[in-house]
Amino acid sequence: FWTPRRLRARTLLSYLPALLVTIVAAILVSHAFSRAQRYSDQVLVSTRFLSIANELRARMATAQSAVRGFAITGDESYLEPYHDAETALRTRFETLNEVWAARPHLQERVTRALRLFFEWRETIAEPVIEARRPPAAETIHLIVRGNPLMDQADRLVAEVAREEREQARLARAVGAHEREHLARAQVDVDVAQDVRLADLQAEPGL
């Protein structure tokens, strides 16, 4: 017959399967949460690189437009955004290794794009600014000659932006899948605990 000691032992043993199920489910939930967090971090990283790539394109476009404006009008106010863009791009160039270390395959393209910008600066922008008001034909010739350099630089950074946008999209999709898996795992834990509790309550003598 059931003595109090045996009854307590039987009660404790009856909880053991539920405890094991809970432990295993908790481990699965923890792993799913870690994966979801990892992909969430990847989205943040890709978003940061995408923001930098968009900034580079905007700075180069600003510099090109400013030089065109100065070449046409001779208005010195056009040079302020040009010099601001040049300073910002030079800073980005000096910190390439630090900023893009996690993306070496993209760093090479960004490096080429910035070198093209500085080549354009030396061979096109600065001569236009130095001449101030050359004959219109010469100004147009310089502007047209500089377009391929800046177009190529823009294409390189645009490729970087597209890749980072795709990386962010994939990371978001996988992260959403992991969060869904996490939610299902949590439901499985709850169901397993409810079923085991119902079984324990149905057992005679408990």
Side-chain angles (χ1 to χ4, degrees), residues 62-106:
T62 296
Q64 190 175 22
S65 297
V67 171
R68 284 174 177 168
F70 177 75
I72 293 169
T73 66
D75 186 346
E76 293 285 339
S77 65
Y78 279 99
L79 296 182
E80 184 176 347
Y82 163 73
H83 290 307
D84 288 345
E86 178 197 353
T87 300
L89 290 169
R90 192 171 297 282
T91 299
R92 285 297 186 189
F93 187 76
E94 292 170 353
T95 57
L96 272 172
N97 292 334
E98 176 186 347
V99 174
W100 292 90
R103 295 285 196 275
H105 65 295
L106 299 181

Side-chain angles (χ1 to χ4, degrees), residues 145-157:
R145 188 156 62 89
N147 286 342
L149 290 174
M150 295 300 283
D151 289 345
Q152 187 178 352
D154 182 70
R155 282 196 300 273
L156 287 167
V157 182

Side-chain angles (χ1 to χ4, degrees), residues 31-49:
H31 286 173
F33 178 80
S34 296
R35 288 194 297 270
Q37 184 62 44
R38 184 169 64 252
Y39 286 111
S40 177
D41 292 342
Q42 288 182 10
V43 170
L44 292 176
V45 171
S46 289
T47 301
R48 175 171 172 264
F49 282 121

